[in-house]
Amino acid sequence: MRTTPRTTGPGRGVAAGTRASNGPSEAGRRVPVAVHAADPISRAGAVSQLRQHPVVELREESDSGPGVVALLVSEILDEATLSRLRRLVRSEGAKAVLVVGVLRENELLDVIECGVGAIVWRHEATGHRLAQAVLAAARGDGDLPSDLLGRLISQVGTLHRTAAGQPGAPTSGLAPREVDVLRLVAEGLDTGEIAGKLSYSERTVKNVMHGLTTRLHLRNRAHAVAYALREGYI
C-alpha cells in the first residue's frame, strides 16, 4: 500500500501498489467489478469509464460477494450509503471502492473501519483512476487521495492523544517486526520495497501483514495503518 502523500490530481492517489506482478491480473485474470449507485446516470458513467479497461470484468449489481470488487458511487456519505458499504464488505465479503464527492472529517474513520481501503474523489474519477483503485482493492491494498491521508493521520492522532490521557486506556501488542512493516507501509512503500528495506523476503512481508490483520480483525492495509496510528505505534 502506497501511503505517502503526493501531489494531488487524477491518478495520484495513495497506496495503489503499482507493481504489475502484484496485481490480480498477473496471470491474465480479470477483476470482477459490480457498480452500485443511487442514480442511473452515476452508474452508467462509472460503467462507461471501467468498460475501457481490459483488466475489469463488469458484473451485475446483484453479483457482489467474495472475490468481487464493489464500486459504490455517491455524492455524499449518508446513512444509506454507509449501511450499504457495511453490508457489501461485512456481510457479503466484497472488496469495496468508494467514489464520493464530499467526505466529512467524522466520516473518514467510519469508512476505513467499515473495510473500505480505496477512496476516489468524484471529480478525479477518470477511467484510469477508477481502474487503479479497483486493482488496489482487489489486492487488499489501500488507495487514498493524499489529502484524505493527511486528514486520517491527523484524526487518528487526535484520538490517540485523547485516549492516552484516560486512565485504563486499552493497550494492544504489536511485535517489533509488525511495527517496522506498518511504518514502511505508512510511508508509501510497496511489498517489494519493504522487503528490501528490512532484508526480508516478499513472502515474509505478506505473512506479517496477514498475521496482524487476522489477529486484530483488521480488514485491509489502510485499516491496519489507521489502527497503528491510533494506538501510537507509528
Side-chain angles (χ1 to χ4, degrees):
M1 179 179 78
R2 300 195 66 86
T3 50
T4 302
R6 306 192 186 278
T7 55
T8 57
R12 297 303 298 171
V14 179
T18 56
R19 293 192 173 191
S21 61
N22 290 339
S25 60
E26 61 187 20
R29 291 182 292 128
R30 300 166 71 194
V31 179
V33 179
V35 177
H36 301 255
D39 63 273
I41 292 178
S42 294
R43 187 179 190 280
V47 167
S48 176
Q49 293 279 26
L50 288 170
R51 187 175 283 125
Q52 308 169 32
H53 292 269
V55 299
V56 172
E57 177 187 340
L58 288 166
R59 299 282 187 88
E60 294 298 322
E61 187 173 324
S62 58
D63 288 342
S64 292
V68 176
V69 174
L71 187 140
L72 198 152
V73 184
S74 181
E75 180 58 33
I76 62 172
L77 188 76
D78 54 17
E79 188 56 42
T81 302
L82 188 58
S83 295
R84 177 177 278 195
L85 281 172
R86 288 183 178 131
R87 175 176 57 81
L88 288 168
V89 177
R90 297 182 181 179
S91 300
E92 300 184 15
K95 307 283 185 156
V97 175
L98 175 64
V99 181
V100 68
V102 178
L103 197 61
R104 295 188 293 267
E105 295 289 339
N106 62 335
E107 297 168 337
L108 182 53
L109 268 182
D110 287 339
V111 172
I112 296 297
E113 295 187 341
C114 176
V116 178
I119 301 173
V120 178
W121 292 126
R122 283 190 68 148
H123 69 272
E124 295 184 350
T126 62
H128 173 76
R129 184 70 189 89
L130 291 177
Q132 182 186 44
V134 162
L135 288 172
R139 288 190 299 266
D141 291 346
D143 189 348
L144 304 181
S146 55
D147 55 332
L148 273 188
L149 178 67
R151 285 161 56 183
L152 177 63
I153 291 172
S154 175
Q155 188 174 4
V156 296
T158 299
L159 289 174
H160 171 66
R161 288 190 296 272
T162 301
Q166 297 176 354
T171 60
S172 58
L174 286 180
R177 182 166 68 170
E178 293 173 332
V179 175
D180 290 340
V181 170
L182 280 176
R183 184 175 293 115
L184 294 176
V185 169
E187 289 177 2
L189 278 65
D190 64 22
T191 300
E193 292 166 336
I194 293 170
K197 283 275 189 181
L198 298 177
S199 298
Y200 294 160
S201 68
E202 291 193 22
R203 180 178 296 276
T204 296
V205 174
K206 291 177 182 178
N207 287 342
V208 169
M209 286 301 305
H210 177 74
L212 74 91
T213 54
T214 300
R215 187 178 79 253
L216 299 174
H217 307 291
L218 304 170
R219 296 178 184 87
N220 49 44
R221 291 189 177 194
H223 194 188
V225 170
Y227 173 88
L229 286 163
R230 185 171 54 201
E231 295 298 321
Y233 285 99
I234 59 177

